[in-house]
Each structure stands twice: as C-alpha cells, then as structure tokens.
Amino acid sequence: MRYETERTRRRGHADTATDTLARGLGIFSIALGIAEVVAPRALARALGMKGQEGLIAGYGVREIATGIGILASKDPTPWIWGRVAGDGLDLATLATALEGRNPKKGNVGIAMAAVAGVTALDVYCAQTLSRESPTPLPPMQDYSDRTGYPGGIEQSHGAAKDFEVPRDFRAPEAMRPYTQPQAPQRPTPSM
Amino acid sequence: MKALVWHGTTDIRCDSVPDPQIEHPRDAIIKVTSCAICGSDLHLYDHFMPGMKSGDIMGHETMGEVVEVGAESKGKLKVGDRVVIPFTIICGECEQCKRGNFSVCERTNRNGHIAAKAFGHTTAGLFGYTHLTGGYAGGQAEYLRVPFADATHIKVPSTLSDEQLLFLSDIFPTGWQAAVQCDIEPTDTVAIWGAGPVGQMAIRSAILLGAKQVIAIDRVPERLDMARAGGAITINFDEESVIERLNELTNGKGPEKCIDSVGMEAHAAGTVDAMYDRVKQATMMETDRPHVLREMAYVCRPAGTLSVPGVYGGLLDKIPFGAIMNKGLTIRTGQTHVNRWTDDLLRRIEEGQIDPSFVITHTVGLEEGPDMYKIFRDKQDGCIKVVLKP
C-alpha cells in the first residue's frame, strides 16, 4: 500500500506498522458492515432500537464502502478520517437509544464503549498517517551500475546459449515452435 | 556460539546457543564465514509458514570453512575445505537424488511423515526452514552442522570472494532454474514478477540464456533500478497496468514465458482479487495470496509457460484454471535442485559471465541481523539483499 514507490516517495515516509493498522481497520470495517447489512434486525433487537433496521443496514453499507476505500487506496488517510466521522455518527445514534425506557440500555452501553475504543484507534491511525505525509523519504539508492555482468551486458547476453536444457526441463514437444529443427514439420491444418 | 533465533512472529533475536556437534558419521561442522537473509526467510519472520518453534535457528544461505568431519564424510570433505552449503539437504543416493531432483530427496527430511501428510509425499530436508522440512538448525550462526555433508556441499575455489560465491547456496540457482524451466527460445519475451533477489537472478539468467526481451514487474524504485541495470524493461505495478503494458510490449500477444518470483505474500493494492485475498487470509480462510499466479495465467501467451520459483505454502483460492487449461499453459514449479546447476554456474562466475555479488545492498554483523530482517521486510533503505558476517 505505501511502499517506497515514486508516488509514496513524494507524499512521505512509509510506516508499515501504521499501514498494517490501517489495513486491519479496513478489514474490520468490512466485517462489521457485512454484519450490519446481513443482520440489521438482530442488531436492532439487541440494542432495543426496533424500527431502525433500515438505518443500521445503511450504516453497514457505509462501513463496507469505507473498508474497501482503505484497502484499495494508495493513501488510506482520508478514508481513516472518514471512519472517525462514521464513529461519531455511530456514537450519536447509539446515544439516542439511551433515552426513554429502553430495556437494552446495558447492551447499548457496551456497544458505545466498543465504538469508543475503535474510535480511539481510528483517531490514532489517522493522526499518525497525517503526520507522516510531510516527512521526506531518504534519497533513493542508485543501483543503475549493478549490472552483474563483469564484461558488460552485450558480452553476457546469450553467453549461456551453450547450456543444454535437461530433457525433463524442456517444454513439451507439442508446445515448441514449429520452426525448430527438432519439432515435427506438419502442414497447417485446414478448417 | 551466536545465532539468529526465531522466537515468534516478527521476533528474531541474536542469542547465545550451544555449539553444534557431530551427531552422525555423515555430518560435518562448518565455521560460517558469510550467510544471507533470503526472501523466503521473511515468510517465517511474518509466520506465514507453519511449523516453526521458538528456539529454531534461522538461515539457509550459508558458506564457510569445514572445521570437523564425521567418519563417513571424510572421503569427500576434509578440514579446511571452503564450501557453500546448498539450502536443500541431499543424500545423493535415493531415486530422486539420482535423477537430479534434489529438492525432493526422499531421505533427508527427518520429519518426512509430517510433510507427507501436508503434501502427499515428503520433500527434502532444508536448513532453518520449519519442522515440516526436518527442523534442522539454520546457518545464520557462527557454526553450522551439515547433515549428509558428503553430498550436501559445493566445494569452491579460493580465487573468488565469499560475495561472489555465497548465492550458489540458493538465489542464483533458484533464479537460474526458474529461467531454465522456461526453456527459453531466442524469440521469447520473459516476464518476471518480483524484482527481489530471486527475481534479479532470474533476470540475469534469462539474459544469459538469450531471451529476446526481459520484463521485470515490481513497485520498489531501487529494485526496478537494479532490474533495468540487468537488462530488463520495468513495469511499476503501482503506476501502470501490468496487463496492458505487457500486451503493449508483445504486440498484444502476451509474454511466452512468465516467472513468479513473488510467492505467497503478493502485494497488489487496489485490485479486487488482492483485497479478497487480504480478507480471506486475515480470517484464516486462505493461506497464500496468489495474485501473481492469477495475473500470469491471464496474460501469458497461449501455449506459454508459467515458471514458479516463488514459495507457496498451502491452499490457494480463485486460480483461473480455465485460462490455464484452455490456453494450454505449462506450469513448472519446485524448490531448487541446487546441486544440479552449481557446477555450471560456478564455471560461469569464474569465466566472468556473471558476478552475483551485484545484488548485495547491506553487509552487517550477526548482531544486527534482527534489525535487518525488519528493514528487508519493509523494503527500507533500498534494501534488496543482506549479507551477514558472523
């Protein structure tokens, strides 16, 4: 995702630990989203939020989209910030379930604590990724002289043509070009 | 002695461990003068390969000087001999060894029954590469016990440096076998996925064997730079479409020969199948990420060859076998039959056709090994190949 390509080199240093965290959050996002899309009724029942099944499924679609964005993008930073915003929305929605006589307030509390924990991870990840961007990478190593051919490439190209490929390593005869002397000379079949 | 010891996922330490002893009359002990970290060691570092135990000594690219020889190896080796140790332990006597199929030696894997359960049959014992392949101590250490030492060695002359010879242990013959498996014709385009150490050797091998065009696919600028130096056209898969570019370079026909020198940990951000693999691997529903195999099967010219030196460990999903079957592709795979090629490759080094030391980017002491694993894994500091000096 953020190895030292020309593109990442321009945008900043690749910190693979944060990258791994971002990928983990992406996968978590997809898994949670699938659960919300597949079982909104069960979730609504568990949280005492009957009648909000459509909203939960909608949040699931949002989670899946965000997860795909994190895993697919070359720079996941904006998508992780998107997750932070989504966490705020989730907390606000859950808070509404604490009002009134909801018999499942205990479950809602647990859910809010879990979301708060994930929010902390999201904020940490997003901040770390954002901080990295302005840090320049060290200069690229120059390996343009690492040919491996002491006498130059012209001299080495085809230098091993004397090598006889062992029989058990040769391509099947039927796959060899017809132009080769050892290949069967057959006429082109007419249709 | 000091050795690099595996303690768990991404936890390798330079520990003090007991010196190795002769355990069998065919053994020998070598004092290690140089060893290297291999790309396949990273599969152990990240713990994608099963069968490691805390306390296992890492390393399978090793050379040094013989300091002790068991009674049954004395005809073939003597104290003071300079040897490169192939990563495959071979008996030299079984049916497979006699056929030159050294990497599937029938005798040297002392945990062959475990390998047989996983793979159907046993494969050769390997140094420092899980208990599936014998659980033998590896060579990232000051000393190494070499089992079946009368067969498991390559004698090398004193006229060449360690750096020129060390890679006869693995990556040079591995890159070479990958190219030989392609049975290269002078009209062939050879596309090579992964410009790590094995990919770099495969590029040079394809050039030596006379390929018309060699194309290297990676995204790390330094690796692409080194690939270009070796005579390859390069494709940065983060910045352009591999399929489109390969077709463009072959008049829409695709490369005749494709080499996968990536293996089970393919990175391909942004592709649907790569995300699918990530999710499946994270949820323990797939062991390997075979993006490169899929891409090769799709882009390879009909009647072409897929050569796979990259290491795979288990079960792979969504392999387009329809494309492979209908296009009549040949697949050649396997761990490297190191000793089958080393006499010829040693001659080519001596004649100056190739100098494998070009690939070394970092040389450090054994104590710095654990840090170098991380730097190598994360492709930082332009790291392509690390040599350790115990």
Side-chain angles (χ1 to χ4, degrees):
Chain A
M1 188 153 35
R2 280 154 31 91
Y3 286 109
E4 295 182 16
T5 67
E6 297 292 355
R7 193 169 297 172
T8 56
R9 188 174 297 283
R10 282 196 295 276
R11 71 167 294 277
H13 190 265
D15 170 351
T16 51
T18 313
D19 245 12
T20 305
L21 174 60
R23 272 201 299 275
L25 290 169
I27 291 166
F28 171 74
S29 209
I30 291 171
L32 177 62
I34 290 171
E36 288 176 328
V37 167
V38 171
R41 198 168 298 165
L43 285 169
R45 206 166 37 238
L47 295 168
M49 295 173 69
K50 279 189 179 171
Q52 308 243 38
E53 289 83 356
L55 185 68
I56 291 173
Y59 282 8
V61 172
R62 185 203 76 214
E63 290 280 5
I64 292 170
T66 311
I68 290 172
I70 291 167
L71 294 177
S73 64
K74 295 186 193 320
D75 179 6
T77 313
W79 293 98
I80 299 288
W81 279 119
R83 268 193 56 80
V84 174
D87 293 337
L89 203 56
D90 289 345
L91 285 169
T93 307
L94 285 167
T96 62
L98 288 173
E99 294 167 358
R101 291 186 178 178
N102 184 354
K104 306 284 188 181
K105 277 182 183 172
N107 288 351
V108 174
I110 292 168
M112 288 184 79
V115 173
V118 175
T119 305
L121 268 181
D122 284 332
V123 170
Y124 166 78
C125 185
Q127 283 182 338
T128 310
L129 287 171
S130 300
R131 259 200 313 272
E132 280 176 359
S133 302
T135 312
L137 286 168
M140 187 177 137
Q141 305 288 332
D142 178 9
Y143 295 143
S144 57
D145 60 343
R146 302 285 193 106
T147 69
Y149 312 114
I153 189 166
E154 295 301 325
Q155 196 178 314
S156 286
H157 191 207
K161 278 183 179 165
D162 61 326
F163 178 77
E164 195 171 330
V165 176
R167 196 169 50 118
D168 56 326
F169 273 71
R170 293 182 74 81
E173 199 60 35
M175 299 296 182
R176 299 180 73 77
Y178 276 5
T179 49
Q180 289 212 163
Q182 63 269 41
Q185 298 295 315
R186 294 179 192 146
T188 308
S190 56
M191 299 297 286
Chain B
M1 68 169 183
K2 294 280 184 200
L4 296 191
V5 178
W6 189 91
H7 287 275
T9 309
T10 67
D11 184 4
I12 287 173
R13 303 174 206 164
C14 185
D15 288 347
S16 288
V17 298
D19 286 357
Q21 308 287 329
I22 296 279
E23 295 175 15
H24 185 276
R26 289 182 74 175
D27 287 356
I29 306 289
I30 70 160
K31 181 178 182 354
V32 178
T33 54
S34 296
C35 52
I37 303 176
C38 180
S40 59
D41 287 330
L42 297 180
H43 303 319
L44 308 181
Y45 181 67
D46 288 330
H47 208 180
F48 281 110
M49 287 291 284
M52 288 297 282
K53 291 181 184 171
S54 182
D56 287 346
I57 298 176
M58 299 286 296
H60 57 265
E61 296 184 0
T62 310
M63 68 177 294
E65 184 186 323
V66 176
V67 292
E68 201 175 345
V69 185
E72 290 180 24
S73 283
K74 279 188 174 155
K76 297 281 179 65
L77 279 177
K78 63 178 188 305
V79 171
D81 281 346
R82 189 180 188 215
V83 288
V84 171
I85 304 300
F87 75 95
T88 46
I89 303 169
I90 61 174
C91 73
E93 295 163 345
C94 70
E95 186 185 330
Q96 293 289 5
C97 280
K98 282 179 179 166
R99 289 171 180 269
N101 297 331
F102 297 115
S103 76
V104 286
C105 171
E106 295 168 333
R107 289 188 188 167
T108 54
N109 185 352
R110 58 189 174 184
N111 293 331
H113 60 289
I114 304 176
K117 276 188 184 148
F119 303 136
H121 298 87
T122 186
T123 55
L126 306 179
F127 288 100
Y129 214 79
T130 84
H131 289 260
L132 273 175
T133 55
Y136 292 102
Q140 287 167 8
E142 289 178 304
Y143 293 91
L144 173 69
R145 178 177 80 90
V146 183
F148 299 89
D150 54 319
T152 307
H153 69 266
I154 304 149
K155 277 191 193 167
V156 290
S158 58
T159 48
L160 296 167
S161 67
D162 275 18
E163 286 70 18
Q164 288 172 296
L165 294 165
L166 174 61
F167 304 129
L168 285 171
S169 59
D170 181 349
I171 58 169
F172 186 19
T174 296
W176 177 261
Q177 181 173 307
V180 169
Q181 284 176 165
C182 290
D183 193 6
I184 292 169
E185 304 286 343
T187 51
D188 280 348
T189 291
V190 181
I192 299 168
W193 277 254
V198 168
Q200 298 290 344
M201 294 298 169
I203 290 165
R204 271 95 183 150
S205 299
I207 293 284
L208 287 173
L209 288 163
K212 182 182 85 177
Q213 185 173 238
V214 178
I215 303 166
I217 300 145
D218 205 297
R219 65 172 165 182
V220 182
E222 284 91 345
R223 293 176 179 217
L224 294 170
D225 197 25
M226 191 181 275
R228 280 189 292 273
I233 297 166
T234 57
I235 299 175
N236 183 333
F237 68 81
D238 253 359
E239 297 180 345
E240 51 192 333
S241 160
V242 173
I243 306 274
E244 281 175 23
R245 188 94 172 91
L246 283 174
N247 280 325
E248 188 184 302
L249 288 164
T250 54
N251 297 319
K253 291 177 179 251
E256 288 94 342
K257 309 290 162 67
C258 298
I259 295 175
D260 172 2
S261 46
V262 174
M264 62 164 72
E265 290 186 68
H267 297 276
T271 64
V272 175
D273 71 311
M275 279 190 288
Y276 172 82
D277 287 335
R278 283 275 184 197
V279 172
K280 282 204 80 171
Q281 200 178 49
T283 51
M284 313 276 278
M285 293 167 72
E286 187 179 28
T287 57
D288 304 47
R289 303 198 299 261
H291 170 78
V292 170
L293 284 179
R294 296 188 193 111
E295 198 159 70
M296 291 203 313
Y298 186 77
V299 77
C300 187
R301 188 177 299 203
T305 298
L306 312 182
S307 170
V308 187
V311 173
Y312 288 89
L315 305 174
L316 283 60
D317 197 0
K318 302 286 181 290
I319 298 298
F321 218 84
I324 294 168
M325 184 271 164
N326 284 287
K327 291 204 289 185
L329 304 183
T330 300
I331 304 178
R332 300 295 310 241
T333 69
Q335 295 279 8
T336 309
H337 308 310
V338 177
N339 289 65
R340 188 163 180 172
W341 318 115
T342 43
D343 286 352
D344 183 67
L345 296 181
L346 178 57
R347 174 177 67 82
R348 295 185 193 283
I349 297 170
E350 286 178 312
E351 288 178 1
Q353 290 180 20
I354 185 166
D355 177 358
S357 67
F358 76 90
V359 79
I360 301 169
T361 55
H362 293 69
T363 302
V364 298
L366 207 55
E367 299 77 15
E368 293 171 72
D371 291 336
M372 290 314 300
Y373 264 91
K374 184 171 182 344
I375 289 170
F376 182 34
R377 195 272 308 267
D378 294 345
K379 302 173 179 70
Q380 293 170 344
D381 195 30
C383 185
I384 297 179
K385 190 67 182 176
V386 181
V387 169
L388 304 166
K389 295 283 188 179

